[in-house]
Amino acid sequence: MSRIGKLPVNFASDIKVSTNGDVITFAKGKNSVDLDTKGNVDFSLENSTLSFTSKSDEKAHRAFWGTYRALAQNIVVGLTDGYTKELEINGVGYRAAVNGRVLNLQLGFSHDINFDLPEGIEASVEKNLITLKSHDKQALGQAAAVIRAFRPPEPYKGKGVKYKDEHIVRKAGKTAKK
């Protein structure tokens, strides 16, 4: 039995939840997110509570039970509070700036990197800290991973783009051999 799947998803009254077949739609203000269960779980909507049940006792259906409940909870938290990711830029001459919907990065290459922010993601830059905000947890994580992949942190001096809470295991250089 899924410990996560059996918990109900509670949401505030300002979030509108509707169902259409296997698709659950969450809406708040101008933001709307669809969760397509693809018929892998059963769900019931009562007042301001959404509960999931497994279709059968098969291993795949039990796994989907907890997965879809967690996805629904992430959507509700994203619409009420939102998610943030912070990236830190380390390196001499490494900079970032936001121009409208474009994040301009100078990461030691011979050219600037212009990253078009996906829909629903907002970015702000303060010194060497890039803050990304969104209501969609998956899109936010993907955008942060793409930005980090432009110049991952290297283990000798720690230069590059890293998550703010990420720990880089440092290596000793050639002089440590002596």
Side-chain angles (χ1 to χ4, degrees):
M1 176 168 247
S2 173
R3 291 174 295 168
I4 293 174
K6 66 183 174 184
L7 297 173
V9 177
N10 298 315
F11 49 90
S13 60
D14 59 344
I15 296 178
K16 306 290 184 255
V17 179
S18 60
T19 61
N20 183 11
D22 292 334
V23 179
I24 307 169
T25 303
F26 300 86
K28 180 180 177 184
K30 61 180 180 164
N31 296 325
S32 176
V33 182
D34 292 335
L35 177 62
D36 188 2
T37 62
K38 296 180 174 43
N40 292 315
V41 293
D42 293 325
F43 55 88
S44 63
L45 179 63
E46 298 168 7
N47 299 331
S48 62
T49 303
L50 180 66
S51 56
F52 292 87
T53 54
S54 178
K55 270 237 192 269
S56 69
D57 229 12
E58 291 180 30
K59 188 173 183 177
H61 285 155
R62 288 194 327 261
F64 283 128
W65 180 22
T67 300
Y68 282 115
R69 188 267 173 203
L71 291 173
Q73 180 67 29
N74 288 344
I75 291 170
V76 169
V77 170
L79 289 175
T80 54
D81 302 331
Y83 291 102
T84 61
K85 287 258 187 195
E86 292 181 324
L87 297 163
E88 194 176 291
I89 299 175
N90 295 321
V92 177
Y94 289 16
R95 275 181 229 113
V98 178
N99 300 326
R101 302 280 312 145
V102 177
L103 178 65
N104 180 278
L105 300 164
Q106 297 174 356
L107 299 174
F109 297 115
S110 61
H111 56 83
D112 291 358
I113 297 170
N114 292 318
F115 178 70
D116 295 325
L117 294 169
E119 198 62 39
I121 295 179
E122 300 170 9
S124 61
V125 176
E126 191 174 311
K127 292 188 180 180
N128 68 336
L129 198 66
I130 303 170
T131 305
L132 301 173
K133 296 179 184 176
S134 179
H135 65 87
D136 188 354
K137 186 175 186 177
Q138 190 273 330
L140 179 69
Q142 183 64 39
V146 168
I147 292 169
R148 182 186 181 278
F150 289 134
R151 179 70 86 169
E154 53 96 18
Y156 296 102
K157 292 185 178 180
K159 292 175 20 175
V161 181
K162 70 178 189 83
Y163 298 112
K164 186 176 181 189
D165 57 353
E166 182 180 6
H167 175 72
I168 305 301
V169 178
R170 303 297 286 271
K171 291 183 179 178
K174 288 192 271 184
T175 57
K177 195 184 275 187
K178 294 179 183 177

